[in-house]
Amino acid sequence: MEWIAVVMFVAVCATLLVGYPVAFTLAGVALWFAGLGVALGALSSGDLLDIASRVYGTMTNVTLMAVPLFVFMGVMLERSKLAEQLLQTMAALFGRVRGGLLASVVVVGALLAASTGIVGATVVAMGLISLPTLLERGVSPRLASGAICASGTLGQVIPPSIVLVLLGDVLSAAYQQAQLRSGVWSVETVSVGDLFAGALIPGLVLVVCYVAYVLFAAQRAAWRGEGDVATADAPLPSVITVLTALLPPVALIMLVLGTILGGYATATEAAGIGAAGAVLLAALKGRLNLTELRTTARQTVVVTAMVFMILLGASTFSMVFNAYGGDALIQQALQALPGGAIGALVSVMVLMFFLGFVLDFIEIVFVVVPIVAVPLLMMGLDPIWLGILMAMNLQTSFLTPPFGFALFYLRGVAPPSLATTDIYRGAAPFIGIQVMVLMLVALVPVLATWLPGKL
């Protein structure tokens, strides 16, 4: 019956290309093929009860409770105008350096990534605040739009990251399953905190590479007599201004990440601390009122409902897909590839990269990762290293056209004079940087495994 699994996968792809919503496509196709399996005798009616069990298990999953809390934290910080104050302060601080405004965009993007983790909020905020200034200063539209889009995607790698929370839950289940299939009954687990620790150094490396590139690009433009002009006579901000802008987000980052990495709290508990801290910061800035709370809660519910609907649909799909022997089929295909575990890993990474052109990271995490993670882990790959590679690969999906969401977010707030082709072409060098850092982490696994091992 393995051929039915192949037909089922093709049916899902075809239905998605028609334009049906992802969550309902996954669940609908799974239920149709489950009914077919009962009719053919491949599945029993009792197997269908596993669907209800999976739904209940998902809704009571403690790890996934961190998702709405981190979303709430990010939306609340975005609405408290934290980004605006940060960017203005950093721009004044680095304004004397050629390309300093671009570098400040990347640094602020990294700080917002570590405090909000929401790509859309970061890109929109920096697009509204910094893009007009960058264009007025003579920065190339491509470089300006590329820097804004790329720095906004840092929230997918730098913890606390929603994609790492989702990957941590999926990889934890896959790692336990891989050990059981390999005959290991005393199973080990991989936690969201492990992935947070593993992503910290690669994320900082990515930030450094971004800053180095924008400074080099600005200097190269200067050699041609173009680009950002350094404002040597610009007044430096006072120490109090810098501390007022930097201390709140840094303190919140240290509080959330410190409790996780120090082992004092789980990711879910730390997310609760972060949500409460975001409310406190909004209150201190005078941005906390009933209207803001309502808006924040509404946006949190919308994002969380989307994530969980896709999760439930993907969970149903994977259950029926595996019941037809699809998991065994994938395992055989990966093991048959030349190069062993490395060949299989490279093939999966290439597949995920190209899927990022047409699918959202949530769909890839819930549909593709559960299918390929078990065979890869059974080949002996480190789960933390694998998780970080997948997270960095998924980050590129926000920049790869035609459906890169960061590109769409910036297009929505950019002036009409900025051509869409400039936004797309501006993102290309940063995609290259992401791939280069991904290859660096793949070649030097200690970048992802050293800190979790120490902790």
Side-chain angles (χ1 to χ4, degrees), residues 256-273:
V256 173
L257 286 184
T259 53
I260 296 174
L261 301 182
Y264 300 108
T266 64
T268 303
E269 293 165 345
I273 295 172

Side-chain angles (χ1 to χ4, degrees), residues 390-423:
M390 287 181 167
M392 298 187 72
N393 200 337
L394 291 171
Q395 183 191 10
T396 64
S397 68
F398 281 88
L399 294 179
T400 47
F403 299 119
F405 282 93
L407 309 178
F408 288 161
Y409 293 138
L410 184 61
R411 175 69 277 173
V413 297
S417 58
L418 181 64
T420 302
T421 53
D422 285 336
I423 297 177

Side-chain angles (χ1 to χ4, degrees), residues 210 353 396 399 427-439:
Y210 279 176
F353 177 76
T396 64
L399 294 179
F430 293 93
I431 297 173
I433 293 173
Q434 289 176 346
V435 173
M436 287 173 56
V437 176
L438 172 63
M439 293 175 64

Side-chain angles (χ1 to χ4, degrees), residues 279-296:
V279 172
L280 179 60
L281 289 182
L284 292 175
K285 287 182 173 293
R287 301 285 303 179
L288 185 65
N289 53 57
L290 192 57
T291 302
E292 293 294 339
L293 278 174
R294 263 201 209 110
T295 304
T296 302

Side-chain angles (χ1 to χ4, degrees), residues 137-377:
R137 292 271 292 268
V139 177
S140 162
R142 295 179 190 174
L143 181 58
S145 57
I148 292 172
C149 289
S151 58
T153 65
L154 289 170
Q156 297 305 292
V157 175
I158 297 178
S161 158
I162 293 175
V163 69
L164 291 177
V165 173
L166 301 177
L167 264 176
D169 183 67
V170 172
L171 282 177
S172 177
Y175 189 39
Q176 294 181 45
Q177 196 174 1
Q179 292 175 89
L180 292 173
R181 290 188 186 181
S182 301
V184 179
W185 303 108
S186 179
V187 296
E188 299 177 358
T189 60
V190 56
S191 67
V192 173
D194 293 330
L195 292 187
F196 279 7
L200 203 54
I201 294 177
L204 293 177
V205 170
L206 194 58
V207 172
V208 171
C209 290
Y210 279 176
V211 171
Y213 171 74
V214 297
L215 291 177
F216 169 76
Q219 187 60 51
R220 185 179 58 183
W223 294 333
R224 298 197 299 260
E226 307 168 356
D228 183 13
V229 179
T231 52
D233 56 345
L236 287 173
S238 65
V239 175
I240 295 177
T241 302
V242 174
L243 291 179
T244 304
L246 280 178
L247 274 182
V250 170
L252 189 60
I253 292 166
M254 296 298 293
L255 187 62
V256 173
L257 286 184
T259 53
I260 296 174
L261 301 182
Y264 300 108
T266 64
T268 303
E269 293 165 345
I273 295 172
V279 172
L280 179 60
L281 289 182
L284 292 175
K285 287 182 173 293
R287 301 285 303 179
L288 185 65
N289 53 57
L290 192 57
T291 302
E292 293 294 339
L293 278 174
R294 263 201 209 110
T295 304
T296 302
R298 188 179 297 112
Q299 292 186 24
T300 301
V301 169
V302 169
V303 174
T304 305
M306 177 194 69
V307 171
F308 275 79
M309 281 303 299
I310 295 175
L311 172 56
L312 294 177
S315 182
T316 304
F317 173 83
S318 64
M319 189 206 77
V320 179
F321 182 79
N322 292 342
Y324 281 116
D327 53 344
L329 195 64
I330 296 295
Q331 182 178 343
Q332 293 169 9
L334 289 176
Q335 290 176 340
L337 290 171
I342 301 301
L345 176 64
V346 170
S347 300
V348 169
M349 288 293 115
V350 171
L351 172 65
M352 290 177 64
F353 177 76
F354 284 106
L355 284 176
F357 282 76
V358 293
L359 292 179
D360 182 36
F361 79 94
I362 298 175
E363 293 131 35
I364 299 175
V365 168
F366 290 148
V367 179
V368 178
V369 175
I371 296 175
V372 301
V374 176
L376 289 175
L377 292 171

